[in-house]
Amino acid sequence: MDESRIPVIAGAGQINDRPEDDARGLNSVELMAAALRRAEDDACGSWLSHADSLDVVAQLSFPEFADASRALAEMLSISPRHCAQTRYPMGDSPVALLNEAANRIADGQASICAIAGGEALRTAARAGAGRRDAVRESAARTARPGRERYGLVAPTDVYPLYENACRAAWRQSLAQAQQESAEIWSRFSQIAAANPDAWLRAPLAPADILAVSPENRRIAFPYTKLMVANASVNQGAAFIVTSLARAKAMGIAESRLVYVGRGAAAREPGDVLARDRIDRSLSLEASLRRALAFNDVSTEDIDFAELYSCFPCVPKMARRAIGWPLERAMSVFGGLTFGGAPVGNYMSHAIATMTQTLRHSGRHGLLFGNGGFATTSHAIVISRDPAKAARGAFDPSVQGEADAQRGPAPRLIEDHAGPAAVETYTVFYDRGGAPKHGVIVASTPASERLLAFVPSEDVETIAFLTSGDHEPVGAQGVAAEGAGGLIHWRPH
């Protein structure tokens, strides 16, 4: 083996910034710098001044940093040959950057790669009222024409469509699906409670996740606040990838080295309504299954996993893709609700924590990140086995495999009067817990797809969608033009 071409994670660092006055907290780049310095300390040497590459996960909190990688390099007084920021803050970005760094090492293009990310959404919200919902504001700028009229803008609006469609496809009742979510999220809270790098560290029972209260208000059916990503945090994470030869030359003990195996990545069409179906993700399935296959491991060989957890439907789809049992932990960090680290950088924290976990026990760790609206998927295996990292650079794309399984997407129409069946749906709530309105993704007898609106005043239809007495997905109804030029829907 050429040890100069074997990629290893040499150091990892994280930071939670909790000043007494949130408005005086660190900004995103300062969080990245602090995390990278901690990663350098963890690697026990002078690494950053010799870095060949610096990659940064794009952040939303401080838009004045158009390219945070340049600001970070300046703050650290380093001049890497490669200095870049991801195009968007996507949840799979850290996994993709880890994969790219490993390929640079394996290709001989670099010997030290630094990767960092940070979000100071808490500081930004306290410092300026104009940034109170950076995630929604960012999503609104790229929202597809017409979607915002029905309320489909941010991830909290769209992922419930997957949740409800998946529940029906898996033939679960509402109670069964909610119980599965609650059990997964309860385990996340317990993992976070034992993790000093997590943001919220109070262990919760499944009943706590399910109970609706002022502290756990409804967000978008069927999700409550404790089931969605926690954006009110100041957190940063970073890691340093190098070659085995360089790590040995720097005196890092073998017991601290974690090897980077092969990854697999694919994506869905960017427009959710241009996908063939909303009850599964072929890209998610292909990336997870092929990442295992590319590393010659099975689900049973994986000691620890991090299955992305922005909303319950994602780890639920992921665990089914690879046969991961419900009772096995699906996180080492604590999930996006309790661990924190929203928008694009959660998986940097997961990579750092998985690295620290594998140093102490286990052999193989699976990392799966998901970005956008269940749009991008990237999975990778890191390991204590040098052989997993000794196979050379590797293109992670499995796009062709995912695309080969797709059917044609239904044609989206904007006007329809007549029969329409529910493909999926959600109901949005105000901060007091009252329904604001519902939105239906419906299918016509001609297999066309349309969006439809359910006003809050239509109490019967809102109850039909949320009571759990029957399955709304597949239900027949009638669509017709209503107030505001929107298509309205009612069940038969």
Side-chain angles (χ1 to χ4, degrees):
M1 295 189 298
D2 182 354
E3 294 186 346
S4 68
R5 301 293 183 96
I6 297 177
V8 300
I9 300 175
Q14 304 180 63
I15 179 173
N16 284 352
D17 180 37
R18 293 177 178 268
E20 289 186 12
D21 179 359
D22 288 323
R24 296 181 179 276
L26 300 178
N27 65 41
S28 300
V29 175
E30 290 169 333
L31 288 170
M32 296 178 199
L36 266 176
R37 291 186 183 109
R38 292 187 178 188
E40 183 175 52
D41 290 343
D42 183 61
C44 302
S46 177
W47 294 87
L48 297 178
S49 60
H50 302 289
D52 304 289
S53 72
L54 174 66
D55 280 291
V56 164
V57 178
Q59 54 85 42
L60 294 180
S61 310
F62 285 78
E64 53 265 43
F65 294 117
D67 183 350
S69 69
R70 300 293 174 182
L72 180 59
E74 183 177 348
M75 189 174 293
L76 295 170
S77 299
I78 62 176
S79 302
R81 292 195 305 272
H82 168 88
C83 190
Q85 173 180 277
T86 61
R87 185 177 181 185
Y88 302 112
M90 303 288 273
D92 63 320
S93 294
V95 182
L97 294 179
L98 172 62
N99 207 152
E100 291 169 12
N103 276 343
R104 285 194 197 103
I105 300 295
D107 264 343
Q109 297 176 4
S111 63
I112 301 173
C113 303
I115 298 98
E119 284 285 3
L121 289 167
R122 192 178 187 88
T123 294
R126 303 309 191 272
R131 299 183 192 170
R132 293 204 64 84
D133 196 343
V135 177
R136 180 167 288 275
E137 290 170 7
S138 174
R141 288 193 291 272
T142 58
R144 302 283 172 169
R147 310 294 192 267
E148 62 271 25
R149 298 176 63 214
Y150 289 87
L152 298 180
V153 175
T156 48
D157 310 327
V158 174
Y159 279 95
L161 302 178
Y162 268 90
E163 178 71 35
N164 290 316
C166 286
R167 179 192 67 239
W170 299 332
R171 299 188 181 278
Q172 290 181 309
S173 67
L174 175 62
Q176 289 170 333
Q178 289 292 86
Q179 185 63 34
E180 180 182 351
S181 297
E183 290 182 18
I184 295 171
W185 253 242
S186 173
R187 291 191 182 94
F188 285 162
S189 76
Q190 294 163 25
I191 291 164
N195 176 12
D197 293 309
W199 191 261
L200 298 178
R201 301 187 59 199
L204 300 176
D208 299 321
I209 308 295
L210 291 172
V212 176
S213 68
E215 294 73 33
N216 188 31
R217 60 185 176 87
R218 293 181 175 92
I219 302 292
F221 186 82
Y223 294 150
T224 61
K225 185 177 180 181
L226 285 174
M227 292 181 182
V228 304
N230 179 8
S232 185
V233 302
N234 289 357
Q235 292 177 287
F239 48 96
I240 296 170
V241 182
T242 189
S243 68
L244 177 58
R246 189 66 174 261
K248 286 184 173 181
M250 294 289 285
I252 300 181
E254 164 62 26
S255 61
R256 295 182 60 79
L257 296 178
V258 175
Y259 298 87
V260 185
R262 289 180 166 179
R267 61 179 295 128
E268 299 292 323
D271 184 354
V272 172
L273 298 180
R275 299 173 188 175
D276 61 336
R277 50 198 299 179
I278 314 176
D279 61 0
R280 67 184 296 189
S281 167
L282 294 168
S283 298
L284 175 152
E285 294 170 13
S287 63
L288 277 161
R289 291 170 180 164
R290 298 307 289 167
L292 294 178
F294 291 155
N295 290 280
D296 298 321
V297 294
S298 66
T299 299
E300 292 71 24
D301 295 322
I302 298 297
D303 298 291
F304 305 101
E306 187 70 53
L307 304 182
Y308 200 74
S309 53
C310 50
F311 301 90
C313 61
V314 177
K316 287 161 81 169
M317 286 191 290
R319 80 174 192 86
R320 284 170 170 80
I322 58 173
W324 191 269
L326 176 61
E327 60 272 14
R328 287 195 68 187
M330 299 177 211
S331 176
V332 293
F333 185 64
L336 275 91
T337 301
F338 310 105
V343 195
N345 197 48
Y346 175 83
M347 290 304 295
S348 292
H349 291 266
I351 291 166
T353 301
M354 185 72 79
T355 298
Q356 294 157 352
T357 301
L358 288 172
R359 286 172 178 171
H360 292 96
S361 65
R363 190 162 179 80
H364 307 304
L366 173 65
L367 296 155
F368 167 70
N370 176 264
F373 302 100
T375 306
T376 54
S377 294
H378 205 128
I380 198 167
V381 171
I382 63 175
S383 175
R384 293 282 294 127
D385 180 2
K388 301 301 180 195
R391 303 177 180 183
F394 184 77
D395 181 0
S397 177
V398 291
Q399 192 65 48
E401 180 175 328
D403 289 343
Q405 302 178 65
R406 299 189 197 283
R411 185 172 76 93
L412 184 67
I413 59 175
E414 296 184 0
D415 297 306
H416 177 73
V422 177
E423 183 179 355
T424 188
Y425 69 98
T426 188
V427 173
F428 304 121
Y429 298 88
D430 63 25
R431 296 187 71 84
K436 292 195 294 185
H437 72 271
V439 61
I440 307 283
V441 180
S443 179
T444 72
S447 298
E448 297 165 318
R449 181 179 280 164
L450 72 146
L451 288 178
F453 188 85
V454 180
S456 61
E457 296 81 10
D458 188 351
V459 176
E460 290 185 2
T461 302
I462 295 292
F464 172 79
L465 296 174
T466 60
S467 68
D469 295 338
H470 35 248
E471 178 52 71
V473 174
Q476 298 292 327
V478 176
E481 185 173 344
L486 301 176
I487 302 297
H488 286 222
W489 183 92
R490 286 184 61 86
H492 280 314

